[in-house]
Amino acid sequence: DFGWSGKLFEVKTQKSTSDKKVKINSLEQLDTVSGEIWLVHQTLALAETNQRSGISLEELVNSLKQVCNRDVFALDKLNALLSEKNYEDNNAYKEPKFALQNRSFFLIDETFPSLTRTGIPLEIKSAVYVLDISALDVWKKDEKTFLEIFN
């Protein structure tokens, strides 16, 4: 997950066959005290063998490394994160290939259903919870609105 132009982006990616429930791992993850937050939910499906739009894990990592090549600090951070997840170059990551099936954007505001540090008693030190993406249409924004952030 990342920040850009003073905004924070929490990205959740699942297989298209998943139950559309996402895990929020901390009280701080969706706390707007840190700034404007967008939840981006995307689903991936296995790409057909002849489908050109699919991408493997290896291709994705190599693409990210190319983008980060212009910034040594970004590349170091990416490599550290990959190492933290025990990622290493491996031929097994050439397949399968996945294609983006759907992407949804949700603007987190004070009415968004979340557990946050500022909204719970001080005695509660941590919490993990699950959001049902299919129940969040009130906060859903179209792609055009989302992309305006980057202009």
Side-chain angles (χ1 to χ4, degrees):
D1 305 294
F2 61 97
W4 179 271
S5 292
K7 293 163 182 47
L8 303 170
F9 304 92
E10 184 65 39
V11 181
K12 301 291 187 178
T13 305
Q14 297 178 296
K15 289 183 181 177
S16 59
T17 55
S18 295
D19 61 6
K20 308 303 179 270
K21 291 180 175 59
V22 296
K23 185 176 179 181
I24 306 301
N25 294 302
S26 74
L27 296 170
E28 293 75 25
Q29 203 165 7
L30 298 181
D31 196 340
T32 57
V33 73
S34 303
E36 184 176 303
I37 301 176
W38 286 82
L39 173 62
V40 180
H41 178 257
Q42 51 193 18
T43 56
L44 306 177
L46 279 174
E48 300 294 327
T49 308
N50 59 355
Q51 191 176 16
R52 300 184 123 199
S53 63
I55 187 169
S56 69
L57 179 59
E58 178 187 68
E59 291 167 332
L60 177 61
V61 168
N62 288 339
S63 174
L64 289 170
K65 285 182 177 182
Q66 270 189 330
V67 169
C68 291
N69 248 348
R70 293 175 240 146
D71 181 342
V72 69
F73 297 110
L75 185 58
D76 283 348
K77 177 71 172 175
L78 175 62
N79 286 328
L81 290 169
L82 290 170
S83 178
E84 184 179 301
K85 297 296 181 185
N86 297 318
Y87 179 88
E88 55 187 46
D89 291 336
N90 186 325
N91 282 337
Y93 297 142
K94 290 182 186 297
E95 296 290 336
K97 291 190 176 194
F98 291 91
L100 180 66
Q101 184 180 47
N102 187 47
R103 185 176 287 141
S104 301
F105 309 94
F106 304 90
L107 180 58
I108 309 304
D109 63 16
E110 62 279 347
T111 67
F112 190 87
S114 60
L115 299 176
T116 63
R117 169 66 51 217
T118 55
I120 63 158
L122 292 174
E123 295 81 6
I124 297 174
K125 295 301 176 192
S126 68
V128 174
Y129 58 99
V130 176
L131 286 172
D132 181 353
I133 292 295
S134 63
L136 300 177
D137 283 347
V138 170
W139 298 273
K140 192 173 188 177
K141 304 297 180 190
D142 62 29
E143 185 172 10
K144 181 181 177 213
T145 301
F146 176 76
L147 291 176
E148 286 173 357
I149 294 169
F150 302 100
N151 291 332

